[in-house]
């Protein structure tokens, strides 16, 4: 098959149909964005009898939620020592416990809603590109065991062949709690679950602006969309890397970053077992990292931040070449394997590389998953919905400082990304 610029996962999933109804006049909550964050929130809110409208400018799961690697990962992007020095021991312990809980939240929803998405607790493997990265694994595993009572297994270089069929790494670290799934099937299932709970999903409905406005003596929001206006008592924003002008305060706090993926043809069983004997979710220790896994039908899925700008036709084509070269460096065995699909998507980073949730300008939001969003977005959607419904759920990410750009030098257009790309490559070289 010739290379297709198309998301492989979409060839495996069926998305729920929605009817093109007029927008309601009034709802309790308008959710912006129909990805993991928005749909998870909509499902929880609708189960609590709220009248919910999900407004999505494209289609269900169109954003990062159908385009990702399907790695359901424990942990946060920042290292534990950095977290402890920033937030203190007690809050970091709560954050780490929450990161483990996120995996349970995904598993529970999949079970309750019977979502057929190949969820499997296969664990993840992080591999060290340098000796000093490996030395750091031993220190991290020790801190995580001591502070968070969670066991990671450090794998010495001479034992690594039991985990991965590549000879380029200095060792690895395994977390058995992480999982893998098919993201397109999962987000389609979440959409179905939200609708079954009673939420209305309006596809092809772009939110253009939001204005504070009272209605029938209640304060709320007038929401102007590409398909007319509606009024909502509360607004919840789950737009991640696709956050735009409708929510300018949030847009200025987020950096959209392009990430790209290729998948090979279906590999012979013996070859697939050699590449990944335990079928782990794998990523390396670089800033400019590669992440990879086998798909349930035995393709190698290989991703990376091959370009720093969000996806365009040109960046997708260039990424296919860059990623194929990267894949062959890791796995020379794949030199002759055909690459059949390439696609890109946009994820969001906050300036402190932390997830953030709370209220900004009176709107609720959850964003900033930095490539760890499959589990965290599901969890944040649920927790923020519980908060909006009047509960006081445990959520250690609410209330932490949410920094903007240094010196305020950012208007939502990421002019500095090429420099950030060069900077990360430099850091990978020196660290
Ligand atoms: C290539 C790639 C690989 C990744 N791999 C992994 C991985 O393996 N593991 C992991 O944990 N995370 C991964 N991530 C990150 C993860 O996919 C995201 O963090 C997660 O999907 C975010 O979900 P979301 O619902 O917040 O946002 P999205 O799924 O991006 O949804 C946001 C939605 O908001 C809509 N929207 C935006 N503005 C408006 C508006 N004004 N009106 C109406 N709708 C609007 C968009 O159309 C979009 O559908 C990856 C991301 C990418 C791009």
């Amino acid at each position: 098959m010739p290379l297709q610029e198309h998301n492989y996962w979409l060839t495996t999933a069926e998305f729920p149909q929605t009817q093109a109804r007029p927008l309601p006049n009034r709802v309790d909550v308008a959710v912006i964005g129909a990805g993991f964050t928005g749909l998870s929130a909509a499902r929880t809110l609708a189960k609590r009898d709220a009248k919910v409208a999900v407004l999505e400018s494209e289609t269900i799961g169109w954003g990062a939620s159908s385009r990702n690697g399907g790695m359901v990962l424990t942990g946060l992007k920042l290292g534990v020592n950095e977290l402890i020095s920033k937030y203190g021991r007690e809050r970091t312990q709560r954050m780490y416990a929450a990161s483990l809980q996120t995996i349970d939240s995904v598993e529970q929803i999949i079970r309750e809603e019977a979502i057929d998405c190949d969820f499997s607790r296969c664990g993840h493997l992080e591999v060290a590109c340098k000796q000093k990265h490996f030395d750091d694994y031993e220190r991290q595993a020790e801190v995580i065991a001591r502070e968070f009572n969670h066991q990671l297994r450090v794998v010495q270089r001479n034992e690594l062949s039991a985990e991965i069929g590549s000879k380029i790494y200095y060792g690895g670290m395994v977390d058995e709690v992480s999982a893998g799934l098919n993201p397109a099937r999962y987000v389609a299932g979440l959409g179905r679950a939200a609708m079954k709970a009673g939420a209305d999903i309006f596809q092809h409905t772009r939110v253009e602006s939001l204005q504070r406005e009272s209605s029938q003596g209640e304060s709320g929001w007038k929401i102007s969309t590409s398909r007319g206006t509606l009024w909502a008592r509360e607004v919840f924003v789950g737009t991640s890397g696709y956050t735009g002008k409708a929510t300018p305060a949030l847009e200025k706090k987020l950096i959209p970053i392009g990430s790209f993926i290729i998948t090979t043809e279906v590999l012979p069983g013996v070859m697939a077992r050699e590449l990944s004997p335990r079928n782990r979710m794998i990523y390396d220790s670089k800033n400019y990292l590669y992440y990879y896994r086998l798909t349930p039908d035995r393709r190698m899925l290989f991703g990376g931040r091959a370009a720093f700008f969000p996806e365009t036709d040109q960046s997708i084509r260039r990424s296919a070449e860059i990623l194929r070269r990267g894949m062959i460096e890791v796995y020379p065995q794949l030199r002759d394997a055909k690459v059949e699909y390439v696609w890109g998507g946009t994820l969001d980073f906050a300036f402190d590389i932390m997830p953030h949730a709370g209220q900004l300008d009176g709107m609720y939001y959850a964003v900033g998953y930095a490539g760890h969003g499959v589990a965290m977005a599901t969890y944040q959607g649920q927790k923020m919905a519980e908060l909006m419904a009047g509960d006081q759920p445990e959520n250690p990410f609410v209330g932490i400082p949410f920094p903007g750009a240094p010196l305020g030098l950012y208007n939502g257009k990421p002019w500095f990304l090429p420099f950030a790309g060069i900077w990360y490559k430099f850091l990978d070289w020196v660290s």
Side-chain angles (χ1 to χ4, degrees):
M1 195 172 97
L3 176 67
Q4 297 199 38
E5 284 172 32
H6 184 63
N7 175 354
Y8 154 75
W9 295 121
L10 293 180
T11 67
T12 67
E14 221 173 279
F15 281 79
Q17 301 295 316
T18 57
Q19 284 158 9
R21 292 179 311 277
L23 293 175
N25 290 330
R26 274 176 79 90
V27 292
D28 296 323
V29 184
V31 172
I32 313 180
F36 299 142
T37 305
L39 295 171
S40 165
R43 170 182 175 268
T44 305
L45 284 161
K47 276 179 179 254
R48 305 284 292 258
D49 292 330
K51 186 168 160 56
V52 181
V54 181
L55 308 170
E56 165 56 56
S57 54
E58 305 288 337
T59 52
I60 292 170
W62 174 90
S65 296
S66 67
R67 301 167 188 242
N68 59 75
M71 303 188 176
V72 191
L73 301 173
T74 57
L76 297 159
K77 279 300 259 197
L78 292 186
V80 281
N81 286 328
E82 199 175 347
L83 288 169
I84 291 173
S85 73
K86 265 183 100 168
Y87 300 108
R89 181 163 268 112
E90 192 267 337
R91 190 175 289 250
T92 304
Q93 280 170 342
R94 288 170 49 212
M95 286 177 176
Y96 203 85
S99 105
L100 299 178
Q101 236 248 271
T102 61
I103 320 286
D104 295 336
S105 301
V106 172
E107 186 170 28
Q108 196 185 347
I109 292 177
I110 289 171
R111 205 173 327 109
E112 277 175 20
E113 305 290 350
I115 302 176
D116 177 11
C117 62
D118 300 303
F119 179 86
S120 142
R121 287 266 189 175
C122 49
H124 82 244
L125 168 71
E126 184 176 346
V127 278
C129 299
K130 293 188 178 176
Q131 181 61 43
K132 59 178 153 180
H133 297 173
F134 180 71
D135 297 341
D136 194 46
Y137 287 171
E138 304 209 295
R139 283 193 289 273
Q140 271 186 55
E142 201 250 314
V143 175
I144 288 170
R146 189 182 64 231
E147 299 289 340
F148 312 132
N149 195 23
H150 180 63
Q151 300 304 322
L152 300 176
R153 186 164 57 80
V154 173
V155 187
Q156 300 294 329
R157 189 171 195 171
N158 61 3
E159 296 164 349
L160 205 56
S161 61
E163 291 285 342
I164 183 171
S166 172
K167 294 198 174 8
I168 68 168
Y169 298 113
Y170 289 77
M173 184 161 66
V174 169
D175 190 334
E176 301 282 354
V177 173
S178 292
L181 51 65
N182 174 327
R185 286 188 176 199
Y186 175 51
V187 74
L190 260 186
R192 251 177 237 114
M195 286 159 74
K196 192 178 88 191
D200 266 335
I201 302 179
F202 296 91
Q203 306 192 85
H204 306 292
T205 306
R206 165 172 293 281
V207 173
E208 282 161 356
S209 64
L210 296 129
Q211 247 179 301
R212 272 276 183 211
E213 192 172 282
S214 295
S215 162
Q216 300 170 12
E218 280 184 294
S219 72
W221 297 90
K222 180 179 160 200
I223 304 167
S224 305
T225 82
S226 52
R227 293 187 50 227
T229 60
L230 74 160
W231 183 90
R233 193 176 294 122
E234 302 288 1
V235 169
F236 176 70
V237 189
T239 48
S240 283
Y242 297 90
T243 302
K245 294 280 165 265
T247 51
L250 206 54
E251 186 189 23
K252 281 191 202 148
K253 286 182 182 274
L254 295 173
I255 314 167
I257 290 200
S259 190
F260 299 84
I261 292 180
I262 53 174
T263 55
T264 63
E265 61 188 327
V266 174
L267 302 172
V270 176
M271 160 95 87
R273 267 190 303 282
E274 181 195 326
L275 300 178
S276 181
R278 303 219 161 115
N279 215 353
R280 305 274 194 213
M281 304 291 117
I282 307 175
Y283 57 89
D284 71 30
S285 59
K286 296 194 299 297
N287 289 300
Y288 221 85
L289 57 78
Y290 291 136
Y291 50 92
Y292 44 99
R293 59 169 290 182
L294 294 169
T295 60
D297 67 349
R298 284 200 325 264
R299 295 163 191 274
M300 175 53 65
L301 175 153
F302 196 91
R305 223 154 284 143
F308 253 81
F309 275 116
E311 70 278 12
T312 60
D313 287 352
Q314 215 187 0
S315 61
I316 291 174
R317 262 193 304 280
R318 255 194 49 220
S319 299
E321 287 157 32
I322 296 171
L323 289 173
R324 183 168 176 280
R325 278 203 299 277
M327 181 177 76
I328 291 169
E329 269 167 38
V330 176
Y331 289 126
Q333 305 92 312
L334 289 175
R335 191 173 301 278
D336 297 325
K338 282 200 195 68
V339 173
E340 293 195 338
Y341 295 93
V342 57
W343 70 95
T346 305
L347 44 94
D348 62 332
F349 276 67
F351 283 86
D352 59 358
I353 320 187
M354 287 295 289
H356 290 277
Q359 266 184 295
L360 192 63
D361 289 349
M363 282 172 238
Y364 291 90
Y365 67 87
V367 290
Y369 309 118
H372 263 53
V374 177
M376 189 56 85
T378 305
Y379 171 90
Q380 286 299 352
Q382 212 171 27
K383 293 289 162 189
M384 291 309 291
E386 286 166 12
L387 184 74
M388 291 167 79
D391 294 353
Q392 291 186 314
E394 162 65 358
N395 188 348
F397 302 98
V398 170
I400 61 172
F402 191 173
L407 307 173
L409 284 174
Y410 182 44
N411 60 0
K413 279 209 173 59
W415 52 267
F416 44 79
L417 283 188
F419 308 107
I422 292 164
W423 176 241
Y424 276 129
K425 281 187 176 152
F426 175 71
L427 285 181
D428 283 331
W429 185 52
V430 296
S431 65

